[in-house]
């Protein structure tokens, strides 16, 4: 998924306080969010919840609550 605010949207997806659950996507420079769906482990309901959370973050501009600082790898 491509969006100019992809990094901050990704942070919102990882935040459990939004919609009560956490989604761990992958960020690809410069503005892409990638979801690694494993058909043996990912249910249709989990995919539905992910889309609902993504929709909530984008439509309500919740990504604005997160800064643009990048994570460091240790």
């Amino acid at each position: 998924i491509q969006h100019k605010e992809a990094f901050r949207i990704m942070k919102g997806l990882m935040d459990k306080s939004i919609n009560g659950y956490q989604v761990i996507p992958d960020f690809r420079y410069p503005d892409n969010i990638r979801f690694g769906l494993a058909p043996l482990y990912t249910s249709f309901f989990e995919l539905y919840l992910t889309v609902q959370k993504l929709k909530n973050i984008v439509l309500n501009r919740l990504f604005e609550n997160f800064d643009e600082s990048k994570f460091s790898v240790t």
Side-chain angles (χ1 to χ4, degrees), residues 5-24:
E5 294 290 350
F7 193 78
R8 295 195 313 170
I9 292 169
M10 182 194 69
K11 283 185 169 183
L13 288 166
M14 293 171 43
D15 189 328
K16 285 184 181 180
S17 69
I18 299 174
N19 290 36
Y21 51 90
Q22 184 179 38
V23 176
I24 308 290

Side-chain angles (χ1 to χ4, degrees), residues 32-59:
N32 295 294
I33 300 171
R34 185 175 71 115
F35 296 93
L37 304 174
L40 293 175
Y41 304 103
T42 307
S43 69
F44 288 113
F45 185 65
E46 289 169 324
L47 183 56
Y48 172 80
L49 290 176
T50 299
V51 171
Q52 292 305 309
K53 183 169 185 163
L54 180 61
K55 178 180 170 183
N56 182 21
I57 292 167
V58 173
L59 291 180

